[in-house]
Amino acid sequence: MKRKSATKLTALMLTGVMTAGLLAGCGNKDGNSTPADGDAQQGGQEQNDAGSGSQEDNAGSSGENTPTGDKNDVNATAASNGISLPELPDGTLKLEVSITDYQQSSEGTLIQEEWQKRMEAYLGCKLDISWTRTADRDYSDNELVVLGSGSVADVATVTKGAAVNEYGEDGTLLNLSDYMDYMVYYPEYMAMTNGGEDFAKNEDGSMYYFMDGFYNPLDIQGAQSFTAFAYRFDLLRQKNWTPPVTMDEFTTLCENIQAGIDDGSLDLDYVIINNTKDYALYRGFVGIFHTWDCLYYNGSEWVFGPLEDNFREMLRYLNGLYEAGYIDPEFATADFNQGQTKAVTGVGAICPTLWAGSVASWNNAKEDENMEWGLAFLPKNDTYGTPWKWGSRQAAKSLGANMGICISGATEHPEYVVAMIDYQYSDQIVELMNWGLEGQTYTVEGDRKVYIDDIMTAEKPAVKSAEYGLMASSVCRSGIPFIPLDFNAMLELASLPEPWWSEAQGYYEGKYWVESSVNGGPDSVAPYDRPPVAYLSAEEQSSKAQLGYSGTCETRVKELAYNFIVGEMDIDDDAAWESYVQDVKSQTDEDFDGILEMLNAKTVK
């Protein structure tokens, strides 16, 4: 193999940080969180005088600022929404709030101060909040320890999802379902989410945290990763080839690229490289074969993908590619940095495992000015039809269970606190936190919002937006995290345009989230992205986790599947396959098949 240099990778590392921010902010299924810069920050925020006033003064006055009774009126208040709140001593709500801080703190920012002003106007009282801010990694590490101590703040960020429910059962956390009369906006997110109220509540109807929200106004059901393959567009153009639409075409392209390597017309080492060992190479292919690489819902029942016949068929196909010499032998050992170096220094021409922004970062860090990486939707397997893509966004308003906000069971004025958190799900607050203030952080051009030049012309627009306290890029989280992300705003700030190809448009530029929706179409939305609700106890959740990502079974699959791909185990040997199946099943503490039976029995259909 010819020697490659490893320079110009700064842009790659920046993109890695941005990608991590997106994954954490959107509540990805792997449960990743964004590393925060610096030490944990603590401190109180002073009262914002601009929003002060008595309960009567702030409840609404005559004239142009009088609420119309429409809950979406920018001047809506709890009172105008029909919520009756009790009197407060001195008209002041005193709270201790513990939140997670991401790369940049929201403290003192324009949007954080505006959040306080609008909350005071909505509740009709002054807010006296003592804020405890903790770097997100430290917060996540200690969250359950704090809950276990029973000494929790009035309001706190949730990063452990349903794991906090047991602290509601013992009274540490407020049962929000007892305070539905103080909610106007959150129920919309509950109703529109796949699974509806069943998703947001426990089997007994209890609810111990507000779940993280997501607002998708244009119903773009795109995804962030594993929905497209990356190709060296410059080499394809050079040879007058196009990205493959079918798996047969993909196989032919691999053969042609290998022929070019062999005759010296293509300066490559291998046809296919992996992005990082952290993602098994087969993860790029599972959706093509309508399976998945761990536990998933297949449209009718819960199954473990790596034991399915179509998963075996996929491994057989990958073994064929490996035996032909197309796959870089380091596909399972090269880490993220090594993978990026391989991409920008010409080791391979195809990468099947990557996420939004990867191609843009490679093109920024390339050493050959003629190199151009681009994207095309997953090639179709005629046996299975349109490939499934992972992580398709839900339309309209939806909730994610991984993150959210909880309220102490001992808080003195629960009615106010519930109404306050509920207001964070209003269109008014979602717009404020994601877009900011018209004329100060964005302008309106026609029917769309556009961030101001100070943000968009900055070297790092996402980072610049955080200086204002805007949360659309997840670099900063203002208010009380987690307020719903606005997909349109996130696309503006944190989604880079990248080269794409499709049969309909040829070569063009687009954004991963959008193009994965357009090119995949509705049939590409995988059933595992729209599973029904399964009511599970804490013990049952633990059993389920053994079959999920990073669980004992999935971890073992990675080890054994590698042996099938490289031919150390014969994928066509039924005895070898049965040995693999039994090995994987043996990784659970209890009966493997019993776990699946339990899941299907507990599923609401």
CSV table of all heavy atoms in Angstrom, one decimal, residues 537-587:
chain,number,residue,atom,x,y,z
A,537,SER,N,-41.3,-2.7,32.6
A,537,SER,CA,-40.8,-2.3,33.9
A,537,SER,C,-39.3,-2.0,33.8
A,537,SER,O,-38.7,-2.3,32.8
A,537,SER,CB,-41.0,-3.5,34.9
A,537,SER,OG,-40.2,-4.6,34.5
A,538,ALA,N,-38.7,-1.5,34.9
A,538,ALA,CA,-37.3,-1.2,34.9
A,538,ALA,C,-36.5,-2.5,34.6
A,538,ALA,O,-35.5,-2.5,33.8
A,538,ALA,CB,-36.8,-0.6,36.2
A,539,GLU,N,-36.9,-3.6,35.2
A,539,GLU,CA,-36.2,-4.9,35.0
A,539,GLU,C,-36.4,-5.4,33.5
A,539,GLU,O,-35.4,-5.9,32.9
A,539,GLU,CB,-36.8,-6.0,35.9
A,539,GLU,CG,-36.1,-7.3,35.8
A,539,GLU,CD,-36.6,-8.3,36.8
A,539,GLU,OE1,-37.2,-7.9,37.9
A,539,GLU,OE2,-36.6,-9.5,36.6
A,540,GLU,N,-37.6,-5.2,33.0
A,540,GLU,CA,-37.8,-5.6,31.6
A,540,GLU,C,-37.0,-4.7,30.6
A,540,GLU,O,-36.5,-5.1,29.5
A,540,GLU,CB,-39.3,-5.5,31.3
A,540,GLU,CG,-40.1,-6.6,32.0
A,540,GLU,CD,-41.6,-6.4,32.0
A,540,GLU,OE1,-42.0,-5.2,31.8
A,540,GLU,OE2,-42.3,-7.3,32.2
A,541,GLN,N,-36.9,-3.4,31.0
A,541,GLN,CA,-36.0,-2.5,30.2
A,541,GLN,C,-34.6,-3.0,30.1
A,541,GLN,O,-33.9,-2.9,29.1
A,541,GLN,CB,-36.1,-1.1,30.7
A,541,GLN,CG,-37.4,-0.3,30.5
A,541,GLN,CD,-37.5,0.3,29.1
A,541,GLN,OE1,-36.7,0.1,28.3
A,541,GLN,NE2,-38.6,1.0,28.9
A,542,SER,N,-34.1,-3.5,31.2
A,542,SER,CA,-32.7,-4.0,31.3
A,542,SER,C,-32.6,-5.2,30.4
A,542,SER,O,-31.6,-5.4,29.8
A,542,SER,CB,-32.4,-4.3,32.7
A,542,SER,OG,-32.3,-3.2,33.5
A,543,SER,N,-33.6,-6.1,30.4
A,543,SER,CA,-33.6,-7.3,29.6
A,543,SER,C,-33.6,-6.9,28.1
A,543,SER,O,-32.8,-7.4,27.3
A,543,SER,CB,-34.8,-8.1,29.9
A,543,SER,OG,-34.8,-8.6,31.2
A,544,LYS,N,-34.4,-5.9,27.8
A,544,LYS,CA,-34.4,-5.4,26.4
A,544,LYS,C,-33.1,-4.8,25.9
A,544,LYS,O,-32.6,-5.0,24.8
A,544,LYS,CB,-35.5,-4.4,26.2
A,544,LYS,CG,-35.6,-3.7,24.9
A,544,LYS,CD,-36.6,-2.6,24.9
A,544,LYS,CE,-36.6,-1.8,23.5
A,544,LYS,NZ,-37.5,-0.7,23.5
A,545,ALA,N,-32.4,-4.1,26.9
A,545,ALA,CA,-31.2,-3.5,26.5
A,545,ALA,C,-30.1,-4.5,26.1
A,545,ALA,O,-29.2,-4.1,25.4
A,545,ALA,CB,-30.7,-2.6,27.7
A,546,GLN,N,-30.2,-5.7,26.5
A,546,GLN,CA,-29.2,-6.7,26.2
A,546,GLN,C,-29.2,-7.0,24.7
A,546,GLN,O,-28.3,-7.4,24.1
A,546,GLN,CB,-29.4,-8.0,26.9
A,546,GLN,CG,-29.2,-7.8,28.4
A,546,GLN,CD,-29.5,-9.1,29.2
A,546,GLN,OE1,-28.7,-10.0,29.3
A,546,GLN,NE2,-30.8,-9.3,29.6
A,547,LEU,N,-30.4,-6.7,24.0
A,547,LEU,CA,-30.5,-6.9,22.6
A,547,LEU,C,-30.4,-5.7,21.8
A,547,LEU,O,-30.4,-5.7,20.5
A,547,LEU,CB,-31.9,-7.6,22.3
A,547,LEU,CG,-32.0,-9.1,22.5
A,547,LEU,CD1,-31.8,-9.5,23.9
A,547,LEU,CD2,-33.4,-9.5,22.1
A,548,GLY,N,-30.2,-4.5,22.4
A,548,GLY,CA,-30.1,-3.2,21.7
A,548,GLY,C,-28.7,-2.9,21.4
A,548,GLY,O,-27.7,-3.7,21.6
A,549,TYR,N,-28.5,-1.6,21.0
A,549,TYR,CA,-27.1,-1.1,20.7
A,549,TYR,C,-26.3,-1.2,21.9
A,549,TYR,O,-26.7,-0.8,23.0
A,549,TYR,CB,-27.2,0.3,20.1
A,549,TYR,CG,-27.6,0.3,18.7
A,549,TYR,CD1,-28.7,1.0,18.2
A,549,TYR,CD2,-26.8,-0.3,17.7
A,549,TYR,CE1,-29.1,1.0,16.9
A,549,TYR,CE2,-27.1,-0.3,16.4
A,549,TYR,CZ,-28.3,0.4,16.0
A,549,TYR,OH,-28.6,0.4,14.7
A,550,SER,N,-25.1,-1.6,21.7
A,550,SER,CA,-24.1,-1.8,22.8
A,550,SER,C,-24.5,-2.8,23.8
A,550,SER,O,-23.8,-2.9,24.9
A,550,SER,CB,-23.8,-0.4,23.5
A,550,SER,OG,-23.3,0.5,22.5
A,551,GLY,N,-25.5,-3.5,23.6
A,551,GLY,CA,-25.9,-4.6,24.5
A,551,GLY,C,-25.0,-5.8,24.3
A,551,GLY,O,-24.2,-5.9,23.3
A,552,THR,N,-25.1,-6.8,25.2
A,552,THR,CA,-24.2,-7.9,25.1
A,552,THR,C,-24.4,-8.7,23.8
A,552,THR,O,-23.4,-9.2,23.2
A,552,THR,CB,-24.5,-8.9,26.3
A,552,THR,OG1,-25.9,-9.2,26.3
A,552,THR,CG2,-24.1,-8.2,27.6
A,553,CYS,N,-25.6,-8.8,23.3
A,553,CYS,CA,-25.8,-9.6,22.0
A,553,CYS,C,-25.3,-8.8,20.8
A,553,CYS,O,-24.6,-9.4,20.0
A,553,CYS,CB,-27.3,-9.8,21.8
A,553,CYS,SG,-28.0,-11.0,23.1
A,554,GLU,N,-25.6,-7.5,20.7
A,554,GLU,CA,-25.1,-6.7,19.6
A,554,GLU,C,-23.6,-6.7,19.6
A,554,GLU,O,-22.9,-6.7,18.5
A,554,GLU,CB,-25.7,-5.3,19.6
A,554,GLU,CG,-25.4,-4.5,18.4
A,554,GLU,CD,-24.3,-3.5,18.5
A,554,GLU,OE1,-23.9,-3.3,19.6
A,554,GLU,OE2,-23.8,-3.1,17.4
A,555,THR,N,-22.9,-6.6,20.7
A,555,THR,CA,-21.5,-6.6,20.8
A,555,THR,C,-20.9,-7.9,20.3
A,555,THR,O,-19.9,-7.9,19.6
A,555,THR,CB,-21.1,-6.3,22.3
A,555,THR,OG1,-21.6,-5.1,22.7
A,555,THR,CG2,-19.5,-6.3,22.4
A,556,ARG,N,-21.5,-9.0,20.7
A,556,ARG,CA,-21.0,-10.3,20.2
A,556,ARG,C,-21.2,-10.4,18.7
A,556,ARG,O,-20.4,-11.0,18.0
A,556,ARG,CB,-21.8,-11.4,20.9
A,556,ARG,CG,-21.2,-12.8,20.6
A,556,ARG,CD,-19.8,-12.9,21.0
A,556,ARG,NE,-19.3,-14.3,20.8
A,556,ARG,CZ,-18.0,-14.7,20.7
A,556,ARG,NH1,-17.1,-13.7,20.6
A,556,ARG,NH2,-17.7,-15.9,20.6
A,557,VAL,N,-22.3,-9.9,18.2
A,557,VAL,CA,-22.6,-10.0,16.7
A,557,VAL,C,-21.4,-9.3,16.0
A,557,VAL,O,-20.9,-9.8,14.9
A,557,VAL,CB,-23.9,-9.3,16.4
A,557,VAL,CG1,-24.0,-9.1,14.9
A,557,VAL,CG2,-25.1,-10.1,16.9
A,558,LYS,N,-21.0,-8.1,16.4
A,558,LYS,CA,-19.9,-7.5,15.7
A,558,LYS,C,-18.7,-8.3,15.6
A,558,LYS,O,-18.0,-8.4,14.6
A,558,LYS,CB,-19.5,-6.2,16.5
A,558,LYS,CG,-20.5,-5.0,16.3
A,558,LYS,CD,-20.0,-3.8,17.1
A,558,LYS,CE,-21.0,-2.6,17.0
A,558,LYS,NZ,-20.6,-1.5,17.8
A,559,GLU,N,-18.4,-9.1,16.7
A,559,GLU,CA,-17.2,-9.9,16.7
A,559,GLU,C,-17.3,-11.1,15.7
A,559,GLU,O,-16.4,-11.4,14.9
A,559,GLU,CB,-16.9,-10.4,18.1
A,559,GLU,CG,-16.6,-9.4,19.1
A,559,GLU,CD,-16.7,-9.9,20.6
A,559,GLU,OE1,-17.0,-11.1,20.7
A,559,GLU,OE2,-16.4,-9.1,21.5
A,560,LEU,N,-18.5,-11.7,15.8
A,560,LEU,CA,-18.7,-12.9,14.9
A,560,LEU,C,-19.0,-12.6,13.5
A,560,LEU,O,-18.5,-13.3,12.6
A,560,LEU,CB,-19.8,-13.8,15.5
A,560,LEU,CG,-19.6,-14.3,17.0
A,560,LEU,CD1,-20.8,-15.1,17.4
A,560,LEU,CD2,-18.3,-15.2,17.0
A,561,ALA,N,-19.7,-11.5,13.2
A,561,ALA,CA,-20.0,-11.1,11.9
A,561,ALA,C,-18.7,-10.8,11.1
A,561,ALA,O,-18.6,-11.1,9.9
A,561,ALA,CB,-21.0,-9.9,11.8
A,562,TYR,N,-17.8,-10.2,11.8
A,562,TYR,CA,-16.5,-10.0,11.1
A,562,TYR,C,-15.9,-11.3,10.6
A,562,TYR,O,-15.3,-11.3,9.5
A,562,TYR,CB,-15.5,-9.4,12.1
A,562,TYR,CG,-14.1,-9.3,11.7
A,562,TYR,CD1,-13.7,-8.2,10.9
A,562,TYR,CD2,-13.1,-10.3,12.0
A,562,TYR,CE1,-12.4,-8.1,10.4
A,562,TYR,CE2,-11.8,-10.2,11.5
A,562,TYR,CZ,-11.4,-9.1,10.7
A,562,TYR,OH,-10.2,-9.0,10.3
A,563,ASN,N,-16.0,-12.3,11.3
A,563,ASN,CA,-15.4,-13.6,10.9
A,563,ASN,C,-16.1,-14.1,9.6
A,563,ASN,O,-15.5,-14.7,8.8
A,563,ASN,CB,-15.5,-14.7,12.0
A,563,ASN,CG,-14.7,-14.3,13.2
A,563,ASN,OD1,-13.7,-13.6,13.1
A,563,ASN,ND2,-15.1,-14.7,14.4
A,564,PHE,N,-17.4,-13.9,9.5
A,564,PHE,CA,-18.1,-14.3,8.3
A,564,PHE,C,-17.7,-13.4,7.1
A,564,PHE,O,-17.5,-13.9,6.0
A,564,PHE,CB,-19.6,-14.2,8.5
A,564,PHE,CG,-20.2,-15.3,9.3
A,564,PHE,CD1,-21.0,-15.0,10.5
A,564,PHE,CD2,-20.1,-16.6,8.9
A,564,PHE,CE1,-21.6,-16.1,11.2
A,564,PHE,CE2,-20.7,-17.7,9.6
A,564,PHE,CZ,-21.4,-17.4,10.8
A,565,ILE,N,-17.5,-12.1,7.3
A,565,ILE,CA,-17.2,-11.2,6.2
A,565,ILE,C,-15.8,-11.6,5.7
A,565,ILE,O,-15.6,-11.6,4.4
A,565,ILE,CB,-17.2,-9.8,6.7
A,565,ILE,CG1,-18.6,-9.4,7.0
A,565,ILE,CG2,-16.6,-8.8,5.6
A,565,ILE,CD1,-18.8,-8.0,7.7
A,566,VAL,N,-14.8,-11.8,6.5
A,566,VAL,CA,-13.5,-12.1,6.0
A,566,VAL,C,-13.2,-13.6,5.7
A,566,VAL,O,-12.2,-14.0,5.3
A,566,VAL,CB,-12.4,-11.6,7.1
A,566,VAL,CG1,-12.6,-10.1,7.3
A,566,VAL,CG2,-12.5,-12.4,8.3
A,567,GLY,N,-14.3,-14.4,5.9
A,567,GLY,CA,-14.2,-15.8,5.5
A,567,GLY,C,-13.6,-16.8,6.6
A,567,GLY,O,-13.3,-17.9,6.3
A,568,GLU,N,-13.3,-16.3,7.8
A,568,GLU,CA,-12.8,-17.2,8.8
A,568,GLU,C,-13.9,-18.1,9.3
A,568,GLU,O,-13.6,-19.2,9.8
A,568,GLU,CB,-12.3,-16.3,10.0
A,568,GLU,CG,-11.0,-15.5,9.6
A,568,GLU,CD,-10.5,-14.7,10.8
A,568,GLU,OE1,-11.1,-14.8,11.9
A,568,GLU,OE2,-9.6,-13.9,10.6
A,569,MET,N,-15.1,-17.8,9.1
A,569,MET,CA,-16.3,-18.6,9.3
A,569,MET,C,-17.0,-18.7,7.9
A,569,MET,O,-17.2,-17.6,7.3
A,569,MET,CB,-17.2,-18.2,10.4
A,569,MET,CG,-16.5,-18.2,11.8
A,569,MET,SD,-17.5,-17.4,13.1
A,569,MET,CE,-19.0,-18.5,13.1
A,570,ASP,N,-17.5,-19.8,7.5
A,570,ASP,CA,-18.1,-20.0,6.2
A,570,ASP,C,-19.6,-19.6,6.3
A,570,ASP,O,-20.4,-20.3,7.0
A,570,ASP,CB,-18.0,-21.4,5.7
A,570,ASP,CG,-18.5,-21.7,4.3
A,570,ASP,OD1,-19.1,-20.7,3.8
A,570,ASP,OD2,-18.4,-22.8,3.8
A,571,ILE,N,-20.0,-18.6,5.7
A,571,ILE,CA,-21.4,-18.1,5.8
A,571,ILE,C,-22.3,-19.1,5.2
A,571,ILE,O,-23.5,-19.1,5.5
A,571,ILE,CB,-21.5,-16.7,5.1
A,571,ILE,CG1,-22.9,-16.1,5.4
A,571,ILE,CG2,-21.3,-16.8,3.6
A,571,ILE,CD1,-23.1,-15.8,6.9
A,572,ASP,N,-21.9,-20.0,4.3
A,572,ASP,CA,-22.7,-21.0,3.7
A,572,ASP,C,-22.8,-22.3,4.4
A,572,ASP,O,-23.5,-23.2,4.1
A,572,ASP,CB,-22.2,-21.3,2.2
A,572,ASP,CG,-22.4,-20.1,1.3
A,572,ASP,OD1,-23.5,-19.5,1.4
A,572,ASP,OD2,-21.5,-19.8,0.5
A,573,ASP,N,-22.1,-22.4,5.5
A,573,ASP,CA,-22.1,-23.6,6.4
A,573,ASP,C,-23.2,-23.5,7.4
A,573,ASP,O,-23.1,-22.6,8.3
A,573,ASP,CB,-20.7,-23.7,7.0
A,573,ASP,CG,-20.6,-25.0,7.9
A,573,ASP,OD1,-21.6,-25.6,8.2
A,573,ASP,OD2,-19.4,-25.3,8.2
A,574,ASP,N,-24.2,-24.2,7.3
A,574,ASP,CA,-25.4,-24.2,8.2
A,574,ASP,C,-25.0,-24.4,9.6
A,574,ASP,O,-25.5,-23.8,10.5
A,574,ASP,CB,-26.5,-25.2,7.7
A,574,ASP,CG,-27.1,-24.7,6.4
A,574,ASP,OD1,-27.0,-23.6,6.0
A,574,ASP,OD2,-27.8,-25.6,5.8
A,575,ALA,N,-24.0,-25.3,9.8
A,575,ALA,CA,-23.6,-25.6,11.2
A,575,ALA,C,-22.9,-24.4,11.8
A,575,ALA,O,-23.1,-24.1,13.0
A,575,ALA,CB,-22.7,-26.8,11.2
A,576,ALA,N,-22.1,-23.7,11.0
A,576,ALA,CA,-21.4,-22.5,11.4
A,576,ALA,C,-22.4,-21.4,11.8
A,576,ALA,O,-22.3,-20.7,12.8
A,576,ALA,CB,-20.4,-22.0,10.4
A,577,TRP,N,-23.4,-21.3,10.9
A,577,TRP,CA,-24.5,-20.3,11.2
A,577,TRP,C,-25.2,-20.6,12.5
A,577,TRP,O,-25.5,-19.7,13.3
A,577,TRP,CB,-25.4,-20.2,10.0
A,577,TRP,CG,-26.5,-19.2,10.2
A,577,TRP,CD1,-27.8,-19.4,10.5
A,577,TRP,CD2,-26.3,-17.7,10.1
A,577,TRP,NE1,-28.5,-18.2,10.6
A,577,TRP,CE2,-27.6,-17.2,10.4
A,577,TRP,CE3,-25.2,-16.9,9.9
A,577,TRP,CZ2,-27.8,-15.8,10.4
A,577,TRP,CZ3,-25.5,-15.5,9.9
A,577,TRP,CH2,-26.7,-15.0,10.2
A,578,GLU,N,-25.6,-21.9,12.7
A,578,GLU,CA,-26.3,-22.3,13.8
A,578,GLU,C,-25.5,-22.0,15.1
A,578,GLU,O,-26.0,-21.6,16.2
A,578,GLU,CB,-26.8,-23.7,13.8
A,578,GLU,CG,-27.6,-24.2,14.9
A,578,GLU,CD,-28.9,-23.4,15.1
A,578,GLU,OE1,-29.4,-22.8,14.1
A,578,GLU,OE2,-29.4,-23.3,16.3
A,579,SER,N,-24.2,-22.3,15.0
A,579,SER,CA,-23.3,-22.1,16.1
A,579,SER,C,-23.3,-20.6,16.5
A,579,SER,O,-23.3,-20.2,17.6
A,579,SER,CB,-21.9,-22.5,15.8
A,579,SER,OG,-21.0,-22.2,16.8
A,580,TYR,N,-23.2,-19.7,15.4
A,580,TYR,CA,-23.3,-18.3,15.6
A,580,TYR,C,-24.6,-17.9,16.3
A,580,TYR,O,-24.6,-17.1,17.3
A,580,TYR,CB,-23.2,-17.6,14.2
A,580,TYR,CG,-23.7,-16.2,14.1
A,580,TYR,CD1,-23.0,-15.1,14.6
A,580,TYR,CD2,-25.0,-16.0,13.5
A,580,TYR,CE1,-23.6,-13.8,14.4
A,580,TYR,CE2,-25.5,-14.8,13.3
A,580,TYR,CZ,-24.8,-13.7,13.8
A,580,TYR,OH,-25.3,-12.4,13.6
A,581,VAL,N,-25.7,-18.4,15.9
A,581,VAL,CA,-27.0,-18.1,16.4
A,581,VAL,C,-27.0,-18.4,17.9
A,581,VAL,O,-27.4,-17.6,18.8
A,581,VAL,CB,-28.1,-18.8,15.7
A,581,VAL,CG1,-29.5,-18.6,16.5
A,581,VAL,CG2,-28.3,-18.3,14.3
A,582,GLN,N,-26.6,-19.6,18.3
A,582,GLN,CA,-26.6,-20.0,19.7
A,582,GLN,C,-25.6,-19.2,20.5
A,582,GLN,O,-25.9,-18.9,21.7
A,582,GLN,CB,-26.3,-21.5,19.7
A,582,GLN,CG,-27.3,-22.4,19.1
A,582,GLN,CD,-28.7,-22.1,19.6
A,582,GLN,OE1,-29.0,-22.0,20.8
A,582,GLN,NE2,-29.7,-22.1,18.7
A,583,ASP,N,-24.5,-18.9,19.9
A,583,ASP,CA,-23.5,-18.0,20.6
A,583,ASP,C,-24.1,-16.7,21.0
A,583,ASP,O,-24.0,-16.2,22.1
A,583,ASP,CB,-22.3,-17.9,19.8
A,583,ASP,CG,-21.1,-17.3,20.5
A,583,ASP,OD1,-21.3,-16.4,21.4
A,583,ASP,OD2,-19.9,-17.6,20.2
A,584,VAL,N,-24.8,-16.1,20.0
A,584,VAL,CA,-25.4,-14.8,20.3
A,584,VAL,C,-26.5,-14.9,21.3
A,584,VAL,O,-26.6,-14.0,22.2
A,584,VAL,CB,-26.0,-14.2,18.9
A,584,VAL,CG1,-26.8,-12.9,19.2
A,584,VAL,CG2,-24.8,-13.9,18.0
A,585,LYS,N,-27.3,-15.9,21.2
A,585,LYS,CA,-28.4,-16.0,22.2
A,585,LYS,C,-27.9,-16.3,23.6
A,585,LYS,O,-28.6,-16.0,24.6
A,585,LYS,CB,-29.3,-17.2,21.7
A,585,LYS,CG,-30.2,-16.9,20.5
A,585,LYS,CD,-31.2,-18.0,20.3
A,585,LYS,CE,-32.2,-17.7,19.2
A,585,LYS,NZ,-33.2,-18.7,19.0
A,586,SER,N,-26.7,-16.9,23.7
A,586,SER,CA,-26.2,-17.2,25.0
A,586,SER,C,-25.7,-16.0,25.8
A,586,SER,O,-25.3,-16.1,27.0
A,586,SER,CB,-25.0,-18.2,24.9
A,586,SER,OG,-23.9,-17.6,24.3
A,587,GLN,N,-25.7,-14.8,25.1
A,587,GLN,CA,-25.1,-13.6,25.8
A,587,GLN,C,-26.0,-13.0,26.8
A,587,GLN,O,-25.6,-12.1,27.5
A,587,GLN,CB,-24.7,-12.6,24.7
A,587,GLN,CG,-23.7,-13.2,23.7
A,587,GLN,CD,-22.4,-13.7,24.3
A,587,GLN,OE1,-21.8,-13.0,25.1
A,587,GLN,NE2,-22.0,-14.8,23.9
